[in-house]
Amino acid sequence: MGLLWRSYGFFALITLMGVLAQYEWQPKDAFDEIKVRFDKVNGDNCPILPPRDLTLPEESVSHLPDIKDVNINPVFPNRTALLHLHNMALSRAFFWSYILQSRFIRPAINDTYDPGMMYYFLSTVADVSSNRHINASAIYFAPNSSFSSSYRGFFNKTFPRFAPRTYREDDFNDPIHLQKISTLNTFYVRDLGAFPPDSALHDYTIKNYHINEWYNLWLPDNVDKRHDTKTTYQVEIRYANNTNETFTFHGPPGADENPGPVKFTKPYFDCRRSNKWLVAAVTPIADIYPRHTQFRHIEYPTYTAVSVLEMDFERIDINQCPKGEGNKGPNVFADTARCKKETTECEPIDGWGFRRGGYQCRCKPGYRLPGVVRRPYLGEILERASDEQFYNGFDCMKIGWVQKVPIKWFRAPTYVREQYLNRYYEYKNYTTGPSSLHSHKLNINEVLKFILGVNARSCKNYHPQDLMLTGEFAYEAQKQFENEAKMAIRLANFISAFLQVSDPSEVYSGKRVADKPLTEDQMMGETLALVLGNTRIWSASTLWDRRKFPNRTLFGPYAYKRELNTRKFNLEDVARFNKTGEEYIDKPFFRLLKQRWATNFDSLEKYYLKIRLRHNETGEYAQRYEHFPNFYHAATMDHGYWTTPEFDCKGYVKKWLITYAVPFFGWDSLKAKLEFKGVVAVSMNMLQLDINQCPDDYYEPNAFKNTHKCDEKSSYCVPILGRGYETGGYKCECLQGFEYPYEDLITYYDGQLVEAEFENIVSDKESRFETFKCRLAGAAALQVQFTILAFVTLFGWIMLRRNQC
C-alpha cells in the first residue's frame, strides 16, 4: 500500500512539473514585460509607487485613429472603439467651445448664458452611459477659467478649479442592487475642483497629480505674440421665424492642422480614482477670455479647458504581428506572435484585448495548409501549445509545382461563354434603371449603376418610390454605423437625464441655484456637435414633440453639411415648416417611435448616479448631491429605429441616407410617470457601407448575398472591408484540399479582379476568368521519396536478374 501511495505522489509531482514547465520553452518577450508592469500596480499600492511605474510605454497602444486618415483608409474592426473615443472627445470639445461662445449670439445682459453645474455633470454621465467601451469622461478647466450660473451674484466670476468627472463604478456589492451582479449602470460623478485650499495634492493642474498627462497635453495655453491662433468654424443658422445669422466660433484644431484636434495619452493607472489602467483621448476647448471687459481688443481666443474621455486599456486589442506594409508605426508588441515564419505569416484578428493569441497564422505564398487542416492556425492554440506540439505542427506544406501568372489572355469559346451566361442568367436577361432593383435575381452591376447614378440633378427624373430602397440594400448598416448611432444615443441619454434629474424649480440652501431649463442654444449646439465630431454623420436633428420644449410649440434643430471636409456648417430650426405634411412630427420614424413609447416604459435602461459636488463657490470640499443616489431611465441601441435608405431629392443633403432615430424621455407635468419627449436622429451616407457578396443564411436580409463569382468547387468567398459600395469586396480563398497555383505575393483571388474578368466574358472580350480556380493540393507536385525510389529500383533489379536466369 505504501508503494502505491508513493507511486501516486511521484505521478502527481511529475504532472505538476509538466504543467508548470509547459511554457518554459517560450522565450520572454515584450508582452511579458508589459504584463509584469501591468500586474504590479493595484489600488492599494499605487499611491506609494513612483510615477514611472504608473504608466506604460506609449507604443503599448498601436494603430491609434488619425483624423487625417479616417476618410481615406478603412478602420480596422479592432479600432472602432478607439475611433468612437476619438470622435466623442472631438464632439464634446466642439460643443463646449460653441456653447461657451454662444453668448455673443444673444444680447448682453447682466447675467450669464453658461450652462449650470448639473449640465456639466449629466453631460459627462451621458458620455459614459451611452457606450460600454467608455469608462470615464471629464472636463478639466484651467485655473479661474470656468464661469457658472449655479450661484447667486456670481456673474463674471470664476471657480478656482472646476473639473466634473464621471467614471463607471463596479456595483457588484452596491446596496442598490440586491442581485450581487455588476450592471455597469452605476456612475460615480465628482467635481475634482472641490478640495481644501491647503491640499495641493488634490490640485489636478499640478504635474504630480496622479498621472496628469491629459491636462498637460493642451494646458496651460501659452500663446506667444499672436492671439488669433485658434481655428474658426462657421455656422449658418436659420431660426423658426425665418431670420438668418452666421456665427463664427473658435474651436479645437482642424483635421488638416498639425497636430490634429485629438491627442492620446500613454496607458496610465488611474490611481485613487477608478483604479484601472486607462487610455485617454484629449481635445482642447476654446473660449474668448477674459470675459465682459467691454474692450474686445483685449479679449482673445484661448484654450480654457480640455475634454477627456477614457477607456480601459484591457479592452484594446494588441497587435503581435511583425511590422510590414499596412502594419507600420510604433508597437511594443510587434513580432511577439508564435507563427512559424518559414512557412506562415501573421494576421491580427479582433476581440481579444490585452492578452495573447489575437492573431492567426496564414500560409505564406507558395505554401498551403495540410489536407487535414481547414482554416489558418489560431494564435490562441499556438500560445497554449507545448514544445512538442509546436515543433511538430503548425506548419504549411510547400507547393510542389508553382505556375507563372498568365500574361496572355484569350476570348472564351462560345460554348464556355454560354455556360456562364446560363449559370448567371441575370447577366443575359436583365432590366436597367429602377426596375433592376425588383428583379428575381439581381444583376448587381445594373443595380449599382442605378444607385450610383442618382445625384442632385438626376433624382428629379425618378418617381419618389424609386428613390426609396428596401432594408436589404443596407445590410449590416447597424453594425458598420454603430458608432454614429451611439452618438445619437449619447444625446438622447443626456436629454433624458437632464429632464428627469434636474429640476429648475428646486430650492437649495445657501447661494446655490438650480439649473435653468434647456435653452435653444444648448440644443442647437448639441445637435451641431454630432455633425462636427463625426465625419460620417451628414445630418443630425433633435426633434421635440409638440409643447414639450420650454416656451415653444415645436422645436427641431437640424444640423447638416454639404461637403465632406469643411469648416462651414448649416443649422436650421425645422419647426419653421408648419404646413400640413411638412412638419417633422409627421415623419414616419417620429410617428413610429411616439406610438411605440406612448404608454409602457418598463424596458428602458435604468442608470444610477452618485453625485458629489462642491460645497461652495471656492470648492472647499466635495459633498453629496441632495438626491443621493439618483437615477434616470433612457433608451439603448435596441430602442432606436433604423430607416430604409432614401434619396431625399427635396432635402438639404442629397445623398442616399440611412437614418437612426432614438427617443428621449422626461417626467410629465405632474412628475408621476415618464412620457415621450422627442427623438434624436442622425443620418449617414449609405454609399459608405461595405457590400457583402458572400453566401449567408437564408434569413439574412442582404440584397447582394451570394452574388460573388468565386469558383465554388475549389474556393470560398471571404468579405474584405473597406471596398465601399462597389463590387469585388471579397476574396476567393482555396478550400481544404486545394491550393493556389500561381507564383504571386498573395494566396487568393481578389474579388475586384474576378468581377472585372467576368465582365469581360459577358462582354465577349479577352479574359482570364477561367484561370481563377484553385487546383487539387499535391496533384502537380514533383517530389520524389527516396525510400520509394530505392524500393522500386531494387525491385526492378531483382526482376531483371530473374529474367536473365
Side-chain angles (χ1 to χ4, degrees), residues 145-362:
S145 298
S146 54
F147 298 81
S148 177
S149 58
S150 296
Y151 288 93
R152 296 186 184 92
F154 208 67
F155 171 70
N156 205 20
K157 294 182 181 179
T158 60
F159 290 147
R161 304 288 189 276
F162 185 51
R165 184 178 188 265
T166 297
Y167 70 86
R168 193 186 308 275
E169 192 176 54
D170 187 2
D171 53 4
F172 162 75
N173 203 29
D174 199 294
I176 298 174
H177 306 289
L178 302 179
Q179 301 90 346
K180 299 297 181 181
I181 298 175
S182 294
T183 65
L184 301 180
N185 286 345
T186 300
F187 308 104
Y188 187 84
V189 190
R190 177 162 182 167
D191 181 3
L192 298 179
F195 58 89
D198 57 348
S199 179
L201 291 178
H202 293 86
D203 188 356
Y204 59 82
T205 64
I206 64 175
K207 191 173 183 180
N208 295 328
Y209 175 78
H210 307 312
I211 300 304
N212 198 358
E213 187 181 12
W214 25 262
Y215 183 86
N216 297 323
L217 285 177
W218 295 101
L219 298 176
D221 183 24
N222 297 319
V223 180
D224 186 25
K225 296 181 180 178
R226 293 178 60 89
H227 292 305
D228 54 346
T229 58
K230 302 299 176 282
T231 309
T232 58
Y233 300 86
Q234 188 179 93
V235 185
E236 295 182 7
I237 305 175
R238 192 168 188 178
Y239 297 99
N241 58 2
N242 284 321
T243 59
N244 299 329
E245 184 171 10
T246 299
F247 178 55
T248 302
F249 69 99
H250 301 270
D256 55 337
E257 297 183 48
N258 194 16
V262 181
K263 294 181 180 179
F264 285 89
T265 66
K266 294 184 293 186
Y268 64 93
F269 192 82
D270 194 33
C271 185
R272 292 188 292 188
R273 304 202 296 182
S274 60
N275 290 324
K276 291 185 177 182
W277 286 94
L278 302 177
V279 175
V282 188
T283 310
I285 298 171
D287 192 9
I288 304 296
Y289 189 85
R291 290 188 173 193
H292 306 292
T293 63
Q294 305 300 324
F295 301 99
R296 290 301 305 273
H297 64 281
I298 65 172
E299 299 178 354
Y300 60 93
T302 183
Y303 295 146
T304 59
V306 289
S307 174
V308 181
L309 277 93
E310 301 154 296
M311 69 179 297
D312 289 349
F313 172 70
E314 285 185 282
R315 285 177 171 246
I316 303 175
D317 290 346
I318 62 174
N319 190 344
Q320 294 184 250
C321 296
K323 292 184 179 181
E325 292 296 328
N327 187 25
K328 297 181 179 179
N331 181 11
V332 72
F333 302 108
D335 205 13
T336 59
R338 306 296 187 190
C339 296
K340 292 188 174 181
K341 297 182 179 180
E342 297 78 12
T343 61
T344 62
E345 56 188 6
C346 179
E347 180 181 81
I349 55 180
D350 61 286
W352 291 82
F354 179 60
R355 59 191 178 108
R356 289 186 181 274
Y359 60 91
Q360 62 183 7
C361 302
R362 304 178 53 83

Side-chain angles (χ1 to χ4, degrees), residues 469-500:
L469 306 179
T470 64
E472 295 181 348
F473 290 93
Y475 176 66
E476 284 195 336
Q478 293 89 335
K479 180 179 179 181
Q480 298 184 38
F481 289 141
E482 182 180 11
N483 283 352
E484 289 67 35
K486 287 180 179 178
M487 298 191 73
I489 294 172
R490 184 257 155 214
L491 179 52
N493 264 20
F494 165 72
I495 299 176
S496 298
F498 193 90
L499 295 179
Q500 298 173 44

